[in-house]
DNA sequence: AAAGATTGAGTTGTCAATCTTA
DNA sequence: TAAGATTGACAACTCAATCTTT
């Protein structure tokens, strides 16, 4: 995309064309989170990718406010609001007003929610492991190194835009 | 996500936890295509990420059917239908029924569409180059190697699911 | 039938405006 | 005022059903 054609016009010569192409392919194939599907079955349990992530974050953190969850997920507070409402309705999540500061909701997993999070987490782990096992050790090492740098670059870019 | 907690339960020990965490961060921060924004301004031109990609594909390919464009973009034919309609309305794209087989639309860029594609392409290239310049050479090399492998793995996974 | 494109319904997200508590 | 959460309007998808040409 925007790769081979007319590199003369931009004048500068972009040496990392290959890398850019790869990123685009990656984003498009998407498959990192089992793609295309906007929702997702594990053992008969249905959850959207964001719901899956949310359960994972809560399993890891114990309890979170909606804001905190939103920050971890990279989602708007409004999205988190509806997300949490949905999970609550399915009985996977509890929302209790904080005693100290009643503006906050404290989100936590129910017993069933923990069970679900655990099952889905295992499923995802397995899927990812299977994918990564198809890479050579050198590819895995390179990916780790490269993505670390890329995340750092994106983060500074993002932070700069906020200020 | 699903990383530190309770690795005992799955029994197998997942050695590539770091890599999985990185991928998740990447997907969430998203910023590869200038994130968060669901639409996107360049030089006063407004286009969604998919529209940007579509223009790029057409610039590269010359003409495409909607199916072909959808395949390259990883989008449903229905999405492509509305996408193409929108670009046509803005005067950036032409849709002509194929003479040989009138089921197909042959999509092509108008002169203005080519101009826009060129400008946006330059902008994107610049953005990506700027990002990648923040990486060390080793990180760039690793990223290229690792993503090549990952794209391959995702592709085989995807192909297997189709069959 | 089968293949390309379209249309309608539902999901997941954003952004902007509002409500509520501090 | 401002911070957390909610609501309403809209965008960009997917999926399933349909229309049109082969």
């Amino acid at each position: 995309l925007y790769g081979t054609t007319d590199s003369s016009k931009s004048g500068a010569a972009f040496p990392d064309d290959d890398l850019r192409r790869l990123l685009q392919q990656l984003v498009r194939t998407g498959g990192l989170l089992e793609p295309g599907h906007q929702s997702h079955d594990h053992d008969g349990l249905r959850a959207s990718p964001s719901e899956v992530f949310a359960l994972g974050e809560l399993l890891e953190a114990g309890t979170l406010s909606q804001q905190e969850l939103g920050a971890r997920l990279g989602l708007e507070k409004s999205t988190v609001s509806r997300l949490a409402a949905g999970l609550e309705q399915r009985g996977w999540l509890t929302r209790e007003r904080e005693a100290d500061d009643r503006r906050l909701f404290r989100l936590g997993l129910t017993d069933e929610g923990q069970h679900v999070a655990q099952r889905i987490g295992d499923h995802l782990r397995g899927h990812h492991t299977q994918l990564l096992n198809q890479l050579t050790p050198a590819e895995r090492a390179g990916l780790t190194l490269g993505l670390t740098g890329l995340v750092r670059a994106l983060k500074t870019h993002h932070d700069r835009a906020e200020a």
Side-chain angles (χ1 to χ4, degrees), chain A:
Chain A
L1 168 68
Y2 289 120
T4 57
T5 53
D6 201 28
S7 60
S8 59
K9 189 147 198 179
S10 42
F14 294 97
D16 289 305
D17 235 43
D18 295 344
L19 229 183
R20 287 201 346 270
R21 286 196 103 79
L22 283 169
L23 285 176
Q24 289 158 7
Q25 266 189 279
L26 228 207
V27 173
R28 290 193 204 147
T29 29
L32 298 180
L33 215 216
E34 306 196 8
H37 319 110
Q38 38 195 89
S39 80
H40 196 165
D41 280 357
H42 311 255
D43 295 319
L45 303 169
R46 179 170 292 281
S48 75
S50 287
E51 288 172 336
V52 170
F53 280 127
L55 294 173
E57 293 295 343
L58 283 166
L59 190 61
E60 186 177 322
T63 70
L64 291 169
S65 75
Q66 291 192 176
Q67 297 266 345
E68 290 169 334
L69 181 57
R72 293 191 179 219
L73 262 41
L75 292 175
E76 280 292 311
K77 53 190 177 173
S78 59
T79 308
V80 175
S81 174
R82 295 183 245 247
L83 187 68
L87 292 174
E88 183 185 28
Q89 202 167 11
R90 260 170 285 177
W92 293 347
L93 180 150
T94 57
R95 297 210 275 182
E96 294 169 7
R97 288 288 179 182
E98 185 87 29
D100 300 358
D101 181 346
R102 244 162 316 205
R103 292 176 299 180
L104 282 79
F105 273 128
R106 186 126 301 272
L107 307 179
L109 295 179
T110 63
D111 288 350
E112 191 186 345
Q114 292 190 22
H115 240 97
V116 172
Q118 199 59 252
R119 288 177 89 92
I120 295 184
D122 286 349
H123 184 142
L124 250 192
R125 255 190 295 280
H127 173 60
H128 287 164
T129 301
Q130 186 188 341
L131 267 179
L132 295 175
N133 279 344
Q134 294 179 42
L135 305 194
T136 68
E139 285 169 341
R140 278 195 293 273
L143 198 53
T144 303
L145 180 63
L147 286 181
T148 303
L150 188 56
V151 167
R152 164 173 41 76
L154 286 170
K155 196 177 182 55
T156 61
H157 180 268
H158 189 262
D159 291 349
R160 204 175 358 157
E162 272 181 7

